[in-house]
Amino acid sequence: MKKKTAVSWGALAGVAAFLALIILLENITALVPGAPRVLLPTSQLFTVLKKGAVYSLVVVSMNLLNGFTGLFSLGQAGFMLLGAYTYAILTVPVDQKDTVYYLFGGSAVRFSLQDTFGLLFGTTGVGGAVSMVLGVLVGIVLAGLVAAVFAYLIGLPVLRLKSDYLAIATLGFAEILRAVFQWQPLGPITNGANMLKSFPTFSDFNIENASGQVVLRLSAFVPMLVAAACIGIIVLLINSSYGRAFKAIREDEVAAEAMGINLARHKMLSFCISSFFAGVGGALFAMYAANAQAKVFTSTMTYELLLIVVIGGIGSVSGSVIATFLYVACSEWWLRFLDSEQVFAAPASPGRIAFIAVFAAAVILAAVLAIRAIRKKEGHTLTQELPVWIVALLLLGWLVYFVISRSLQLPLLRNGFRMVVFSVIIMIVVLFFRRGIMGDRELPAVMRSWKRRAARAKGKEAGK
């Protein structure tokens, strides 16, 4: 018990330190004017942090349902849509509604949470900040509740289905919901196919002085804080008696029912909780994008979330979080240079040398990992390893030619090539790491495993 308490306090301290680091990174350019460009508030680093925080919450909520309860649902984008629209509709200021809903002569919802709290606490100074924060928090919670209510109504008939049938039914629900929210007769509420905007976003949490200059940036800290709090609640749930019941249902429904677990009740509970946090994630996504529009929440988004769950490890919360940030960083930042032509200034330029080193390291690492994965299988042969060796040698041979020829331009780079490389990377990960980065383990367990291996290695060396 004491060990679990120590681990919990350690995890809490780690999260607190990470959040403090985010605040420092956001404001370091104000403290150190000569800081690197990557730390500028407009850099891709903070885009990755914000989107990664939002996506990590939704991915963990999906893993709660798919990984821990064993229910294959593909309705996550639909619940995000409900959350995004609920938050946007309830937080657009009343004086902005006529502008936002100009095609429909104004909004049918003549109400705003922010304005309501403004009547109690004021609209300027500290009172205005309190009104804005409370309006956003209540809007986020209501976004989750609306998604949970719809999940309950949908779950009554849908949760009787299993496996692929459940996935098809929930996917169909998400697509129907997206079409309904773009229906023109609902325009006075949803703004039809047009986007909703002018509601509070992450940037509104930046603290400004009397002249309007930002003195403390919190636009990346806020989504991180909300996501961390929500993921913490999900972890507590997984480690509770309800979480153990979810895992029992995943392993064997017949055995779980024989032990006295109410299958229908626990499936519905997992479905509604997962949908609640997906709705919260949808509200955060609207704040990240600074608008809410139904056409964004497509089935492609659900497949993207499911892919992150698989890459991280089905049944691993920490795996989902790690995979989310890696996925977002690769798609939004690290591979961006592949979409445009790259010409180096000279054969010995730092950029060219860095590319050669990174390319060689990536090829060697990928080949080693692939061969290790093949050799772990029973009855493996050299023929199975041969394609990996051939591809690796061809790539390294091209790199040698690139170095010897002193070429200054990278070939193949053009608009869209980033997604080709990204897809190849994902395919390699899925093929050779079928259990994902973490499998069904959590980060503390992996770290303890590393410590045990290190201790055994030291013991062997001492024995020699």
Side-chain angles (χ1 to χ4, degrees):
M1 190 67 179
K2 289 182 179 179
K3 188 175 181 180
K4 288 185 177 180
T5 304
V7 171
S8 300
W9 280 110
L12 190 62
V15 171
F18 179 73
L19 292 174
L21 177 63
I22 295 298
I23 296 177
L24 178 63
L25 289 175
E26 273 199 282
N27 296 278
I28 197 168
T29 51
L31 301 173
V32 184
R37 292 183 60 185
V38 71
L39 296 176
L40 291 174
T42 55
S43 74
Q44 287 295 113
L45 170 63
F46 296 106
T47 300
V48 169
L49 291 176
K50 293 173 190 175
K51 188 174 180 180
V54 175
Y55 265 41
S56 62
L57 171 57
V58 183
V59 169
V60 170
S61 74
M62 192 174 195
N63 209 347
L64 172 66
L65 190 63
N66 291 21
F68 289 95
T69 315
L71 298 177
F72 189 27
S73 170
L74 292 177
Q76 220 70 0
F79 296 119
M80 287 181 68
L81 183 151
L82 284 168
Y85 268 81
T86 300
Y87 171 79
I89 291 168
L90 294 179
T91 55
V92 173
V94 173
D95 59 356
Q96 295 289 326
K97 286 186 181 285
D98 289 341
T99 303
V100 174
Y101 291 86
Y102 70 96
L103 290 176
F104 302 95
S107 172
V109 183
R110 306 301 299 178
F111 162 81
S112 171
L113 290 171
Q114 193 174 353
D115 292 337
T116 301
F117 285 111
L119 295 175
L120 298 173
F121 301 102
T123 57
T124 58
V126 176
V130 171
S131 300
M132 193 268 291
V133 171
L134 288 177
V136 168
L137 288 177
V138 173
I140 289 174
V141 172
L142 289 175
L145 289 175
V146 168
V149 169
F150 269 82
Y152 178 80
L153 297 175
I154 294 298
L156 290 174
V158 164
L159 290 180
R160 300 172 185 270
L161 304 172
K162 293 183 180 181
S163 188
D164 298 343
Y165 300 102
L166 175 61
I168 293 169
T170 50
L171 181 63
F173 154 73
E175 290 299 306
I176 291 170
L177 201 61
R178 184 164 61 90
V180 168
F181 270 72
Q182 296 181 86
W183 192 32
Q184 288 300 100
L186 286 179
I189 299 175
T190 64
N191 208 23
N194 309 294
M195 68 175 61
L196 289 171
K197 52 186 179 180
S198 299
F199 48 78
T201 63
F202 296 142
S203 299
D204 292 311
F205 285 88
N206 293 332
I207 299 175
E208 301 177 349
N209 57 21
S211 61
Q213 184 179 3
V214 177
V215 295
L216 182 64
R217 296 186 179 276
L218 299 173
S219 59
F221 167 76
V222 169
M224 285 287 182
L225 176 63
V226 177
C230 292
I231 292 172
I233 293 172
I234 294 174
V235 170
L236 291 175
L237 174 68
I238 290 170
N239 293 325
S240 70
S241 59
Y242 289 101
R244 289 190 287 273
F246 294 159
K247 293 174 185 176
I249 293 171
R250 176 192 65 189
E251 298 301 328
D252 192 324
E253 289 190 10
V254 176
E257 191 171 25
M259 289 189 297
I261 295 174
N262 188 322
L263 294 184
R265 179 170 173 267
H266 283 84
K267 283 183 179 181
M268 180 64 78
L269 186 63
S270 177
F271 193 50
C272 290
I273 293 173
S274 173
S275 302
F276 173 86
F277 287 110
V280 171
L284 295 177
F285 186 82
M287 296 177 72
Y288 161 76
N291 65 75
Q293 196 168 16
K295 70 178 185 179
V296 175
F297 301 94
T298 61
S299 56
T300 303
M301 177 180 281
T302 299
Y303 300 145
E304 189 178 28
L305 297 170
L306 180 61
L307 179 62
I308 297 173
V309 171
V310 173
I311 291 173
I314 297 175
S316 172
V317 173
S318 51
S320 293
V321 174
I322 293 169
T324 300
F325 281 97
L326 289 175
Y327 183 93
V328 174
C330 285
S331 61
E332 299 288 340
W333 184 17
W334 294 340
L335 301 179
R336 283 255 174 214
F337 73 95
L338 297 173
D339 278 347
S340 57
E341 291 185 356
Q342 295 289 326
V343 180
F344 300 109
S349 65
R352 189 173 183 272
I353 294 172
F355 165 76
I356 293 169
V358 170
F359 188 87
V363 171
I364 294 170
L365 179 62
V368 169
L369 292 176
I371 290 170
R372 282 184 61 188
I374 292 171
R375 288 180 177 176
K376 285 181 180 179
K377 298 178 182 178
E378 293 183 5
H380 80 279
T381 61
L382 187 62
T383 308
Q384 294 174 322
E385 298 180 18
L386 193 59
V388 177
W389 284 108
I390 291 173
V391 172
L393 290 173
L394 286 174
L395 290 173
L396 291 175
W398 173 83
L399 185 63
V400 171
Y401 170 77
F402 179 78
V403 173
I404 295 174
S405 66
R406 302 174 68 85
S407 175
L408 299 179
Q409 183 173 358
L410 293 179
L412 301 177
L413 301 192
R414 56 177 57 85
N415 189 31
F417 189 66
R418 166 174 61 103
M419 297 312 299
V420 175
V421 174
F422 188 50
S423 301
V424 171
I425 293 172
I426 291 173
M427 185 173 65
I428 291 172
V429 172
V430 172
L431 284 174
F432 294 103
F433 301 92
R434 296 185 181 181
R435 297 190 64 200
I437 296 172
M438 302 289 287
D440 57 355
R441 299 181 300 171
E442 300 297 344
L443 192 58
V446 173
M447 294 178 69
R448 287 195 296 270
S449 175
W450 289 346
K451 287 182 180 178
R452 285 195 295 268
R453 288 180 183 177
R456 283 197 297 268
K458 287 182 179 179
K460 289 180 180 179
E461 289 180 2
K464 291 178 181 179

